PDB file of all heavy atoms in Angstrom:
ATOM      1  N   LEU V 275      66.416  73.796 -88.835  1.00  0.00           N
ATOM      2  CA  LEU V 275      67.535  74.702 -89.102  1.00  0.00           C
ATOM      3  C   LEU V 275      68.475  74.116 -90.147  1.00  0.00           C
ATOM      4  O   LEU V 275      68.978  74.822 -91.029  1.00  0.00           O
ATOM      5  CB  LEU V 275      68.288  74.994 -87.801  1.00  0.00           C
ATOM      6  CG  LEU V 275      67.536  75.884 -86.781  1.00  0.00           C
ATOM      7  CD1 LEU V 275      68.339  76.011 -85.497  1.00  0.00           C
ATOM      8  CD2 LEU V 275      67.288  77.271 -87.373  1.00  0.00           C
ATOM      9  N   ILE V 276      68.720  72.799 -90.041  1.00  0.00           N
ATOM     10  CA  ILE V 276      69.609  72.150 -91.034  1.00  0.00           C
ATOM     11  C   ILE V 276      68.983  72.224 -92.420  1.00  0.00           C
ATOM     12  O   ILE V 276      69.664  72.538 -93.420  1.00  0.00           O
ATOM     13  CB  ILE V 276      69.875  70.693 -90.627  1.00  0.00           C
ATOM     14  CG1 ILE V 276      70.701  70.660 -89.333  1.00  0.00           C
ATOM     15  CG2 ILE V 276      70.609  69.945 -91.744  1.00  0.00           C
ATOM     16  CD1 ILE V 276      70.898  69.280 -88.770  1.00  0.00           C
ATOM     17  N   ARG V 277      67.659  71.947 -92.481  1.00  0.00           N
ATOM     18  CA  ARG V 277      67.008  72.011 -93.788  1.00  0.00           C
ATOM     19  C   ARG V 277      67.062  73.422 -94.377  1.00  0.00           C
ATOM     20  O   ARG V 277      67.285  73.614 -95.574  1.00  0.00           O
ATOM     21  CB  ARG V 277      65.546  71.563 -93.632  1.00  0.00           C
ATOM     22  CG  ARG V 277      65.380  70.076 -93.330  1.00  0.00           C
ATOM     23  CD  ARG V 277      63.914  69.671 -93.483  1.00  0.00           C
ATOM     24  NE  ARG V 277      63.721  68.277 -93.149  1.00  0.00           N
ATOM     25  CZ  ARG V 277      63.302  67.829 -91.976  1.00  0.00           C
ATOM     26  NH1 ARG V 277      63.045  68.714 -91.004  1.00  0.00           N
ATOM     27  NH2 ARG V 277      63.134  66.545 -91.755  1.00  0.00           N
ATOM     28  N   ILE V 278      66.831  74.407 -93.529  1.00  0.00           N
ATOM     29  CA  ILE V 278      66.877  75.795 -94.005  1.00  0.00           C
ATOM     30  C   ILE V 278      68.271  76.141 -94.505  1.00  0.00           C
ATOM     31  O   ILE V 278      68.446  76.783 -95.552  1.00  0.00           O
ATOM     32  CB  ILE V 278      66.431  76.758 -92.882  1.00  0.00           C
ATOM     33  CG1 ILE V 278      64.938  76.544 -92.580  1.00  0.00           C
ATOM     34  CG2 ILE V 278      66.687  78.209 -93.264  1.00  0.00           C
ATOM     35  CD1 ILE V 278      64.446  77.291 -91.370  1.00  0.00           C
ATOM     36  N   GLY V 279      69.283  75.686 -93.737  1.00  0.00           N
ATOM     37  CA  GLY V 279      70.669  75.967 -94.151  1.00  0.00           C
ATOM     38  C   GLY V 279      71.007  75.339 -95.488  1.00  0.00           C
ATOM     39  O   GLY V 279      71.638  75.974 -96.347  1.00  0.00           O
ATOM     40  N   VAL V 280      70.573  74.074 -95.667  1.00  0.00           N
ATOM     41  CA  VAL V 280      70.834  73.398 -96.953  1.00  0.00           C
ATOM     42  C   VAL V 280      70.120  74.112 -98.093  1.00  0.00           C
ATOM     43  O   VAL V 280      70.675  74.297 -99.195  1.00  0.00           O
ATOM     44  CB  VAL V 280      70.411  71.914 -96.864  1.00  0.00           C
ATOM     45  CG1 VAL V 280      70.479  71.261 -98.246  1.00  0.00           C
ATOM     46  CG2 VAL V 280      71.297  71.169 -95.900  1.00  0.00           C
ATOM     47  N   SER V 281      68.874  74.525 -97.841  1.00  0.00           N
ATOM     48  CA  SER V 281      68.117  75.233 -98.876  1.00  0.00           C
ATOM     49  C   SER V 281      68.804  76.534 -99.269  1.00  0.00           C
ATOM     50  O   SER V 281      68.904  76.879-100.459  1.00  0.00           O
ATOM     51  CB  SER V 281      66.696  75.520 -98.369  1.00  0.00           C
ATOM     52  OG  SER V 281      66.027  74.317 -98.068  1.00  0.00           O
ATOM     53  N   VAL V 282      69.277  77.287 -98.278  1.00  0.00           N
ATOM     54  CA  VAL V 282      69.987  78.546 -98.573  1.00  0.00           C
ATOM     55  C   VAL V 282      71.251  78.281 -99.394  1.00  0.00           C
ATOM     56  O   VAL V 282      71.564  79.001-100.364  1.00  0.00           O
ATOM     57  CB  VAL V 282      70.310  79.280 -97.257  1.00  0.00           C
ATOM     58  CG1 VAL V 282      71.235  80.470 -97.516  1.00  0.00           C
ATOM     59  CG2 VAL V 282      69.026  79.748 -96.584  1.00  0.00           C
ATOM     60  N   LEU V 283      71.985  77.220 -99.015  1.00  0.00           N
ATOM     61  CA  LEU V 283      73.211  76.890 -99.736  1.00  0.00           C
ATOM     62  C   LEU V 283      72.918  76.522-101.190  1.00  0.00           C
ATOM     63  O   LEU V 283      73.628  76.955-102.125  1.00  0.00           O
ATOM     64  CB  LEU V 283      73.925  75.728 -99.037  1.00  0.00           C
ATOM     65  CG  LEU V 283      75.257  75.263 -99.647  1.00  0.00           C
ATOM     66  CD1 LEU V 283      76.262  76.418 -99.648  1.00  0.00           C
ATOM     67  CD2 LEU V 283      75.814  74.074 -98.887  1.00  0.00           C
ATOM     68  N   VAL V 284      71.839  75.745-101.404  1.00  0.00           N
ATOM     69  CA  VAL V 284      71.461  75.385-102.779  1.00  0.00           C
ATOM     70  C   VAL V 284      71.098  76.625-103.579  1.00  0.00           C
ATOM     71  O   VAL V 284      71.477  76.782-104.752  1.00  0.00           O
ATOM     72  CB  VAL V 284      70.290  74.382-102.746  1.00  0.00           C
ATOM     73  CG1 VAL V 284      69.716  74.192-104.154  1.00  0.00           C
ATOM     74  CG2 VAL V 284      70.747  73.055-102.176  1.00  0.00           C
ATOM     75  N   LEU V 285      70.335  77.535-102.943  1.00  0.00           N
ATOM     76  CA  LEU V 285      69.974  78.770-103.641  1.00  0.00           C
ATOM     77  C   LEU V 285      71.203  79.601-103.995  1.00  0.00           C
ATOM     78  O   LEU V 285      71.290  80.195-105.094  1.00  0.00           O
ATOM     79  CB  LEU V 285      69.011  79.583-102.767  1.00  0.00           C
ATOM     80  CG  LEU V 285      67.615  78.995-102.585  1.00  0.00           C
ATOM     81  CD1 LEU V 285      66.810  79.822-101.587  1.00  0.00           C
ATOM     82  CD2 LEU V 285      66.874  78.961-103.924  1.00  0.00           C
ATOM     83  N   VAL V 286      72.172  79.652-103.088  1.00  0.00           N
ATOM     84  CA  VAL V 286      73.411  80.399-103.364  1.00  0.00           C
ATOM     85  C   VAL V 286      74.155  79.793-104.541  1.00  0.00           C
ATOM     86  O   VAL V 286      74.644  80.497-105.451  1.00  0.00           O
ATOM     87  CB  VAL V 286      74.292  80.445-102.099  1.00  0.00           C
ATOM     88  CG1 VAL V 286      75.675  81.023-102.443  1.00  0.00           C
ATOM     89  CG2 VAL V 286      73.631  81.307-101.030  1.00  0.00           C
ATOM     90  N   LEU V 287      74.265  78.451-104.530  1.00  0.00           N
ATOM     91  CA  LEU V 287      74.962  77.778-105.637  1.00  0.00           C
ATOM     92  C   LEU V 287      74.242  78.017-106.964  1.00  0.00           C
ATOM     93  O   LEU V 287      74.881  78.260-108.002  1.00  0.00           O
ATOM     94  CB  LEU V 287      75.052  76.275-105.351  1.00  0.00           C
ATOM     95  CG  LEU V 287      75.996  75.878-104.207  1.00  0.00           C
ATOM     96  CD1 LEU V 287      75.893  74.372-103.936  1.00  0.00           C
ATOM     97  CD2 LEU V 287      77.439  76.238-104.549  1.00  0.00           C
ATOM     98  N   LEU V 288      72.915  77.936-106.944  1.00  0.00           N
ATOM     99  CA  LEU V 288      72.167  78.216-108.164  1.00  0.00           C
ATOM    100  C   LEU V 288      72.395  79.651-108.628  1.00  0.00           C
ATOM    101  O   LEU V 288      72.517  79.924-109.849  1.00  0.00           O
ATOM    102  CB  LEU V 288      70.674  77.969-107.920  1.00  0.00           C
ATOM    103  CG  LEU V 288      70.243  76.515-107.791  1.00  0.00           C
ATOM    104  CD1 LEU V 288      68.763  76.428-107.402  1.00  0.00           C
ATOM    105  CD2 LEU V 288      70.477  75.763-109.105  1.00  0.00           C
ATOM    106  N   GLY V 289      72.431  80.560-107.678  1.00  0.00           N
ATOM    107  CA  GLY V 289      72.687  81.954-108.039  1.00  0.00           C
ATOM    108  C   GLY V 289      74.055  82.117-108.688  1.00  0.00           C
ATOM    109  O   GLY V 289      74.216  82.861-109.675  1.00  0.00           O
ATOM    110  N   ILE V 290      75.064  81.447-108.130  1.00  0.00           N
ATOM    111  CA  ILE V 290      76.415  81.528-108.689  1.00  0.00           C
ATOM    112  C   ILE V 290      76.444  80.954-110.105  1.00  0.00           C
ATOM    113  O   ILE V 290      77.050  81.532-111.029  1.00  0.00           O
ATOM    114  CB  ILE V 290      77.408  80.798-107.780  1.00  0.00           C
ATOM    115  CG1 ILE V 290      77.526  81.553-106.433  1.00  0.00           C
ATOM    116  CG2 ILE V 290      78.773  80.670-108.439  1.00  0.00           C
ATOM    117  CD1 ILE V 290      78.352  80.837-105.403  1.00  0.00           C
ATOM    118  N   LEU V 291      75.788  79.802-110.263  1.00  0.00           N
ATOM    119  CA  LEU V 291      75.770  79.171-111.594  1.00  0.00           C
ATOM    120  C   LEU V 291      75.091  80.060-112.620  1.00  0.00           C
ATOM    121  O   LEU V 291      75.562  80.206-113.777  1.00  0.00           O
ATOM    122  CB  LEU V 291      75.064  77.813-111.507  1.00  0.00           C
ATOM    123  CG  LEU V 291      75.835  76.719-110.753  1.00  0.00           C
ATOM    124  CD1 LEU V 291      74.968  75.459-110.612  1.00  0.00           C
ATOM    125  CD2 LEU V 291      77.134  76.376-111.453  1.00  0.00           C
ATOM    126  N   LEU V 292      73.942  80.671-112.227  1.00  0.00           N
ATOM    127  CA  LEU V 292      73.264  81.582-113.142  1.00  0.00           C
ATOM    128  C   LEU V 292      74.138  82.778-113.496  1.00  0.00           C
ATOM    129  O   LEU V 292      74.176  83.234-114.651  1.00  0.00           O
ATOM    130  CB  LEU V 292      71.944  82.038-112.516  1.00  0.00           C
ATOM    131  CG  LEU V 292      70.827  81.000-112.454  1.00  0.00           C
ATOM    132  CD1 LEU V 292      69.641  81.532-111.642  1.00  0.00           C
ATOM    133  CD2 LEU V 292      70.365  80.634-113.856  1.00  0.00           C
ATOM    134  N   TYR V 293      74.805  83.298-112.466  1.00  0.00           N
ATOM    135  CA  TYR V 293      75.696  84.432-112.705  1.00  0.00           C
ATOM    136  C   TYR V 293      76.817  84.051-113.665  1.00  0.00           C
ATOM    137  O   TYR V 293      77.138  84.786-114.622  1.00  0.00           O
ATOM    138  CB  TYR V 293      76.267  84.918-111.384  1.00  0.00           C
ATOM    139  CG  TYR V 293      77.300  86.015-111.543  1.00  0.00           C
ATOM    140  CD1 TYR V 293      76.887  87.328-111.751  1.00  0.00           C
ATOM    141  CD2 TYR V 293      78.677  85.730-111.529  1.00  0.00           C
ATOM    142  CE1 TYR V 293      77.819  88.342-111.928  1.00  0.00           C
ATOM    143  CE2 TYR V 293      79.608  86.745-111.695  1.00  0.00           C
ATOM    144  CZ  TYR V 293      79.184  88.034-111.899  1.00  0.00           C
ATOM    145  OH  TYR V 293      80.095  89.025-112.079  1.00  0.00           O
ATOM    146  N   GLU V 294      77.433  82.884-113.456  1.00  0.00           N
ATOM    147  CA  GLU V 294      78.526  82.439-114.331  1.00  0.00           C
ATOM    148  C   GLU V 294      78.014  82.220-115.763  1.00  0.00           C
ATOM    149  O   GLU V 294      78.699  82.565-116.749  1.00  0.00           O
ATOM    150  CB  GLU V 294      79.113  81.140-113.796  1.00  0.00           C
ATOM    151  CG  GLU V 294      79.963  81.320-112.535  1.00  0.00           C
ATOM    152  CD  GLU V 294      81.262  82.058-112.827  1.00  0.00           C
ATOM    153  OE1 GLU V 294      81.745  81.986-113.948  1.00  0.00           O
ATOM    154  OE2 GLU V 294      81.746  82.734-111.895  1.00  0.00           O
ATOM    155  N   ASP V 295      76.821  81.665-115.889  1.00  0.00           N
ATOM    156  CA  ASP V 295      76.271  81.423-117.223  1.00  0.00           C
ATOM    157  C   ASP V 295      76.027  82.725-117.966  1.00  0.00           C
ATOM    158  O   ASP V 295      76.373  82.876-119.156  1.00  0.00           O
ATOM    159  CB  ASP V 295      74.977  80.624-117.078  1.00  0.00           C
ATOM    160  CG  ASP V 295      74.376  80.286-118.436  1.00  0.00           C
ATOM    161  OD1 ASP V 295      74.981  79.495-119.179  1.00  0.00           O
ATOM    162  OD2 ASP V 295      73.277  80.808-118.729  1.00  0.00           O
ATOM    163  N   GLN V 296      75.435  83.697-117.253  1.00  0.00           N
ATOM    164  CA  GLN V 296      75.179  84.987-117.890  1.00  0.00           C
ATOM    165  C   GLN V 296      76.499  85.683-118.248  1.00  0.00           C
ATOM    166  O   GLN V 296      76.647  86.278-119.329  1.00  0.00           O
ATOM    167  CB  GLN V 296      74.340  85.870-116.960  1.00  0.00           C
ATOM    168  CG  GLN V 296      72.899  85.379-116.806  1.00  0.00           C
ATOM    169  CD  GLN V 296      72.110  86.258-115.854  1.00  0.00           C
ATOM    170  OE1 GLN V 296      72.650  87.233-115.316  1.00  0.00           O
ATOM    171  NE2 GLN V 296      70.824  85.919-115.675  1.00  0.00           N
ATOM    172  N   HIS V 297      77.460  85.599-117.366  1.00  0.00           N
ATOM    173  CA  HIS V 297      78.749  86.238-117.605  1.00  0.00           C
ATOM    174  C   HIS V 297      79.453  85.595-118.808  1.00  0.00           C
ATOM    175  O   HIS V 297      80.067  86.273-119.666  1.00  0.00           O
ATOM    176  CB  HIS V 297      79.623  86.144-116.352  1.00  0.00           C
ATOM    177  CG  HIS V 297      80.928  86.859-116.501  1.00  0.00           C
ATOM    178  ND1 HIS V 297      81.038  88.247-116.613  1.00  0.00           N
ATOM    179  CD2 HIS V 297      82.196  86.367-116.594  1.00  0.00           C
ATOM    180  CE1 HIS V 297      82.315  88.577-116.758  1.00  0.00           C
ATOM    181  NE2 HIS V 297      83.039  87.425-116.732  1.00  0.00           N
ATOM    182  N   SER V 298      79.321  84.260-118.929  1.00  0.00           N
ATOM    183  CA  SER V 298      79.957  83.547-120.038  1.00  0.00           C
ATOM    184  C   SER V 298      79.303  83.931-121.360  1.00  0.00           C
ATOM    185  O   SER V 298      79.987  84.128-122.367  1.00  0.00           O
ATOM    186  CB  SER V 298      79.839  82.045-119.803  1.00  0.00           C
ATOM    187  OG  SER V 298      80.356  81.319-120.887  1.00  0.00           O
ATOM    188  N   GLN V 299      77.985  84.047-121.367  1.00  0.00           N
ATOM    189  CA  GLN V 299      77.293  84.434-122.604  1.00  0.00           C
ATOM    190  C   GLN V 299      77.681  85.839-123.025  1.00  0.00           C
ATOM    191  O   GLN V 299      77.880  86.132-124.217  1.00  0.00           O
ATOM    192  CB  GLN V 299      75.784  84.338-122.401  1.00  0.00           C
ATOM    193  CG  GLN V 299      75.273  82.889-122.326  1.00  0.00           C
ATOM    194  CD  GLN V 299      73.774  82.816-122.152  1.00  0.00           C
ATOM    195  OE1 GLN V 299      73.112  83.869-122.167  1.00  0.00           O
ATOM    196  NE2 GLN V 299      73.259  81.602-122.004  1.00  0.00           N
ATOM    197  N   ARG V 300      77.788  86.735-122.093  1.00  0.00           N
ATOM    198  CA  ARG V 300      78.201  88.106-122.410  1.00  0.00           C
ATOM    199  C   ARG V 300      79.612  88.110-122.992  1.00  0.00           C
ATOM    200  O   ARG V 300      79.928  88.868-123.927  1.00  0.00           O
ATOM    201  CB  ARG V 300      78.141  88.974-121.161  1.00  0.00           C
ATOM    202  CG  ARG V 300      76.715  89.287-120.733  1.00  0.00           C
ATOM    203  CD  ARG V 300      76.741  90.073-119.442  1.00  0.00           C
ATOM    204  NE  ARG V 300      75.377  90.339-118.960  1.00  0.00           N
ATOM    205  CZ  ARG V 300      75.107  90.926-117.800  1.00  0.00           C
ATOM    206  NH1 ARG V 300      76.126  91.326-117.014  1.00  0.00           N
ATOM    207  NH2 ARG V 300      73.865  91.135-117.461  1.00  0.00           N
ATOM    208  N   ARG V 301      80.492  87.281-122.461  1.00  0.00           N
ATOM    209  CA  ARG V 301      81.864  87.234-122.946  1.00  0.00           C
ATOM    210  C   ARG V 301      81.900  86.724-124.393  1.00  0.00           C
ATOM    211  O   ARG V 301      82.639  87.259-125.241  1.00  0.00           O
ATOM    212  CB  ARG V 301      82.691  86.322-122.039  1.00  0.00           C
ATOM    213  CG  ARG V 301      84.201  86.400-122.328  1.00  0.00           C
ATOM    214  CD  ARG V 301      84.939  85.431-121.421  1.00  0.00           C
ATOM    215  NE  ARG V 301      84.624  85.700-120.018  1.00  0.00           N
ATOM    216  CZ  ARG V 301      84.878  84.863-119.038  1.00  0.00           C
ATOM    217  NH1 ARG V 301      85.431  83.698-119.301  1.00  0.00           N
ATOM    218  NH2 ARG V 301      84.568  85.179-117.804  1.00  0.00           N
TER     219      ARG V 301
END
Side-chain angles (χ1 to χ4, degrees):
L275 289 176
I276 293 174
R277 290 192 182 97
I278 293 172
V280 171
S281 300
V282 171
L283 181 60
V284 170
L285 291 174
V286 171
L287 290 175
L288 288 174
I290 293 173
L291 290 174
L292 288 172
Y293 175 80
E294 287 291 333
D295 182 67
Q296 290 179 0
H297 184 67
S298 176
Q299 288 181 4
R300 288 176 183 175
R301 190 182 304 165

